[in-house]
Amino acid sequence: MSGLFLNFYQVEIDLKEVSTKALNYSDYQSKEDFISLRDSNEKCTFYRENDKILVWSVNEFKSEFKQLPDFKINLDDNPKILSRIIENGVIDLLKETDSYRIFKNKYSNTWEIISSKDVLQNSIKGLEINRVVHFSPYFCYKEEKLLLGFTLSSSLKNRFTWSKQEFEKNGIDTSGLKGKEDIIFANRQSINRFLESRGATENYETTRTRENQNSTSFQIINNFYNWLEKSKNKLELPFGLNISSISKRYLPFENDIIKSEIIHKPQRYFYSNRKNTQGLRYYDQMVKTYMPYSLEQYQNKNIKLGIICPSEYQGETEVFAKKIELKLKEVFHFNNLSFYFLKTTDSDLKSYEHAIYDKELLECDLVYVIVNQLQEKLPNNLSPYYKCKAKLIGNGIPTQDVQIETIRQNLGAFTMTNIALNSYAKLGGTAWTIEKEDKLKDELVIGIGSTISKDGQFVLGIAQIFHNDGRYMTGNCSPLSSFENYAENLENQLFETLKPLVEEMKSSGTFRLIFHLFKSASEKYEIKAINNLKERLSDYNFEFALVHLAYGHNFRLYYNDGRNDIMAGSYIQLSKHSAILHFVKNSDLPLKIDIDKRSTFTSMFYIAKQVYWFSHLSHRSYMPSKRTVTIMYPSLMAKMTEELKKVDNWDYDRLKFVEDKLWFI
């Protein structure tokens, strides 16, 4: 039995002053010039340091570099350079083995080391699964102690060994599958179609489940570490440097500098601030027993639910209608529910378009749109669901799409419970809230998320405003932004939304704004917007924190070498401005939290606790989300709004009719 393991391997290396060569950065400012310099000197490393480009090599310099002036570097004060040296040494050693395909992820500082071995052992002709080890250099300072080393993680990568022609030769439909020339990309759509056509789904899923176990991943990276530790003397490093040790240690280490703490989950409150005094296990049971937080607003209110359903689906949909009625009454205690069932003559777009102008349907509080799986894949302008949603939102009516395949095959308790919860939230109800802690300063939390447009561009959702007690203050997403107008839109949105709120908070003196960001903050966007906001709110005194929340990193956690689950709420502070926080007990992937150093509020544990508690406020499911709602909600809103923009004659301003409801979940 072993304890909690963080996949950081610490490297001990000589720290000393070394001498290298330096070029003037001004001579290589263009991208083309720098690439030419690098490509013509493959044995050298080029590293920009302010106005210089440092050059070093494990081999002897060319004569043109020997003539350059010396540049002294104290490695003790330059961990970035030292980390780069270790990175190059490890990757060069791996390349010498000629056993792996090696790539650097262009979006992160992580290398993919891909084995050629087929995990499927050639049991599925045309498809193979390769094991990948991810290597990422890392350093940080904690309590003035430099921690230098790297992280290792593992994943699986699908690859088709059949060409497009071989797909077609074996009777597999390739229409709609993404690819390049004669290659089919192994994405989810193509994998599912391939497996179904070959009758190999069970074999594939069994193998992936086995190979994705945390204990298997731990063993893979542990084997890689053992090989690297034994091979450390083979690493070719410049300046005569030598690695004395590569350490694998369980938490805590460095005299408890790096340790695990537990952030407890928040208390949930229901109607009239009732708590789970009976020790009920499931959250839906708690809502049913203690009644929803907003009970008085809805219990005796006349609620009319509409259903748009093609006539061919009538029988199954009637079963769904009865089940959702019973679930809403049972759990959320509605006394006055009624349904308006509207049949369409067919399942084509025109039939749905005709239905949404029905007078009685437009009197409903929420409309369920019954569609099929094929309709979900249609372009938005031809999609019955998006056509209905665009029209009904303009009339202040949120919608919920339900696939007929789900109704036929998967109307179990779990599915019905979540559909009912989504419905209650879209009606404007609050099933529960979480405990709040009294604070000296008032506080607002602003979430900024993103989605990807059809042409691959980032579209930003700004911004969801929450009070520090979890109250959802506003869902006005502002006109969607691209990066070109992001800073200006963010500033204007924040000013217009915050002005009335800060007027209420100014009596408490200094207040606080905490930004939860899907990306790291930059001078060009978030900092610029906040500085301008401070000028426009010069009569008010506030401090701020810019917090980047992300899963796109290489840290992993394992308990008992991956054989046991990790406690949700496990928190490890890596440095003053960085920490990891674990949400899903049977996963090895924690959330990484980074506070921008330009923030005026940098209380890491406090912010991590806030992030964890906000994950218990998602009304998409009763279970805590692995993404805090401050990031998830604006991302969902941005995605849904981007989709609605593709519907003919849809007007963005119509969202104001539903901004008090979670219409986008």
Side-chain angles (χ1 to χ4, degrees), residues 378-529:
L378 292 171
N380 294 30
N381 203 40
L382 301 176
S383 164
Y385 174 64
Y386 283 110
K387 278 282 187 176
C388 292
K389 193 173 192 74
K391 169 64 178 177
L392 293 169
I393 276 179
N395 288 275
I397 305 170
T399 60
Q400 174 84 36
D401 74 312
V402 184
Q403 291 185 6
I404 189 62
E405 290 82 1
T406 299
I407 291 175
R408 289 171 175 168
Q409 302 169 16
N410 192 29
L411 273 190
F414 179 79
T415 300
M416 291 307 303
T417 295
N418 283 336
I419 292 176
L421 176 63
N422 292 173
S423 301
Y424 191 69
K426 289 183 177 184
L427 287 165
T430 302
W432 69 86
T433 187
I434 59 173
E435 66 179 281
K436 63 177 181 178
E437 296 180 315
D438 293 331
K439 302 176 176 66
L440 291 175
K441 296 180 180 180
D442 224 333
E443 185 175 279
L444 293 176
V445 182
I446 299 100
I448 302 177
S450 73
T451 188
I452 303 292
S453 67
K454 192 173 184 179
D455 57 1
Q457 299 298 310
F458 271 111
V459 179
L460 313 175
I462 44 178
Q464 306 279 309
I465 312 293
F466 294 81
H467 197 267
N468 61 350
D469 63 4
R471 278 183 288 134
Y472 184 58
M473 304 293 286
T474 177
N476 184 6
C477 194
S478 90
L480 291 183
S481 291
S482 63
F483 276 111
E484 286 72 24
N485 57 9
Y486 171 42
E488 180 183 358
N489 275 2
L490 177 58
E491 175 196 336
N492 291 334
Q493 168 69 7
L494 290 174
F495 179 77
E496 292 168 9
T497 307
L498 293 175
K499 187 68 166 66
L501 298 177
V502 299
E503 186 65 31
E504 298 174 15
M505 297 192 300
K506 70 176 182 179
S507 59
S508 62
T510 302
F511 59 90
R512 185 177 299 136
L513 302 179
I514 297 183
F515 295 84
H516 290 180
L517 308 174
F518 78 100
K519 58 176 283 295
S520 55
S522 72
E523 195 76 39
K524 187 177 179 181
Y525 301 118
E526 292 85 5
I527 299 297
K528 178 181 178 181

Side-chain angles (χ1 to χ4, degrees), residues 606-664:
Y606 174 90
I607 287 174
K609 181 179 179 180
Q610 179 190 80
V611 168
Y612 185 58
W613 281 21
F614 267 67
S615 74
H616 287 70
L617 283 171
S618 170
H619 285 76
R620 298 191 86 197
S621 169
Y622 282 97
M623 297 305 297
S625 168
K626 72 174 185 177
R627 295 175 66 201
T628 176
V629 293
T630 49
I631 293 292
M632 180 171 63
Y633 279 9
S635 297
L636 290 171
M637 180 182 280
K639 176 176 174 56
M640 185 59 74
T641 310
E642 181 70 11
E643 299 293 347
L644 290 172
K645 282 169 60 179
K646 301 167 189 173
V647 177
D648 287 344
N649 302 317
W650 184 74
D651 183 0
Y652 172 87
D653 290 335
R654 294 175 181 177
L655 287 180
K656 67 184 179 182
F657 296 116
V658 289
E659 65 182 11
D660 61 333
K661 301 180 177 73
L662 299 180
W663 60 271
F664 46 84

Side-chain angles (χ1 to χ4, degrees), residues 3-231:
L4 190 62
F5 176 72
L6 173 67
N7 66 331
F8 171 71
Y9 300 86
Q10 191 169 347
V11 173
E12 295 293 339
I13 193 170
D14 300 330
L15 299 178
K16 59 184 181 181
E17 186 175 82
V18 298
S19 181
T20 187
K21 302 296 183 178
L23 301 164
N24 291 320
Y25 173 69
S26 57
D27 295 335
Y28 301 92
Q29 285 190 1
S30 75
K31 182 178 180 180
E32 293 74 17
D33 287 343
F34 182 79
I35 290 175
S36 176
L37 173 69
R38 183 193 63 194
D39 291 348
S40 59
N41 297 276
E42 293 181 353
K43 297 294 184 180
C44 294
T45 298
F46 298 92
Y47 184 92
R48 183 182 173 187
E49 180 76 358
N50 299 321
D51 63 341
K52 300 292 183 182
I53 297 177
L54 307 185
V55 188
W56 68 78
S57 175
V58 295
N59 301 311
E60 187 175 352
F61 277 132
K62 291 181 179 179
S63 58
E64 60 184 289
F65 289 145
K66 287 181 179 180
Q67 299 172 12
L68 294 171
D70 289 338
F71 190 94
K72 293 190 180 299
I73 310 170
N74 188 333
L75 294 178
D76 199 13
D77 298 329
N78 288 274
K80 282 187 178 180
I81 294 176
L82 197 53
S83 184
R84 178 68 177 277
I85 288 171
I86 295 170
E87 175 186 359
N88 287 356
V90 171
I91 297 303
D92 288 345
L93 179 62
L94 284 164
K95 288 179 177 178
E96 284 180 12
T97 67
D98 201 27
S99 300
Y100 308 97
R101 289 178 288 139
I102 301 174
F103 304 95
K104 189 167 188 179
N105 188 316
K106 63 180 180 180
Y107 300 110
S108 69
N109 192 31
T110 301
W111 291 85
E112 291 187 1
I113 304 157
I114 307 171
S115 170
S116 58
K117 181 181 177 182
D118 179 18
V119 173
L120 290 167
Q121 298 181 342
N122 204 32
S123 62
I124 303 178
K125 300 293 184 183
L127 174 68
E128 66 179 30
I129 301 177
N130 302 124
R131 174 64 67 177
V132 184
V133 170
H134 304 271
F135 169 86
S136 182
Y138 182 79
F139 72 89
C140 66
Y141 284 95
K142 184 76 183 291
E143 309 292 343
E144 299 184 356
K145 164 74 175 178
L146 172 63
L147 300 173
L148 175 76
F150 55 85
T151 59
L152 295 174
S153 68
S154 180
S155 68
L156 299 173
K157 196 178 190 73
N158 297 302
R159 186 171 74 93
F160 287 123
T161 57
W162 279 358
S163 65
K164 183 177 180 180
Q165 288 180 336
E166 287 173 299
F167 264 62
E168 294 168 348
K169 181 180 177 181
N170 284 276
I172 303 173
D173 181 17
T174 60
S175 59
L177 299 184
K178 294 183 178 179
K180 183 180 180 182
E181 296 176 351
D182 201 31
I183 297 172
I184 300 290
F185 296 152
N187 56 27
R188 182 179 299 178
Q189 179 191 14
S190 58
I191 289 286
N192 288 343
R193 188 180 299 179
F194 174 88
L195 293 173
E196 190 170 346
S197 298
R198 303 295 294 168
T201 302
E202 184 178 355
N203 181 6
Y204 174 85
E205 294 296 344
T206 299
T207 302
R208 280 194 69 94
T209 299
R210 182 187 69 243
E211 294 294 324
N212 273 327
Q213 289 180 350
N214 291 340
S215 57
T216 303
S217 296
F218 177 86
Q219 195 59 52
I220 293 294
I221 64 173
N222 192 54
N223 291 342
F224 188 94
Y225 156 72
N226 288 333
W227 170 81
L228 195 55
E229 208 285 327
K230 291 176 183 176
S231 305

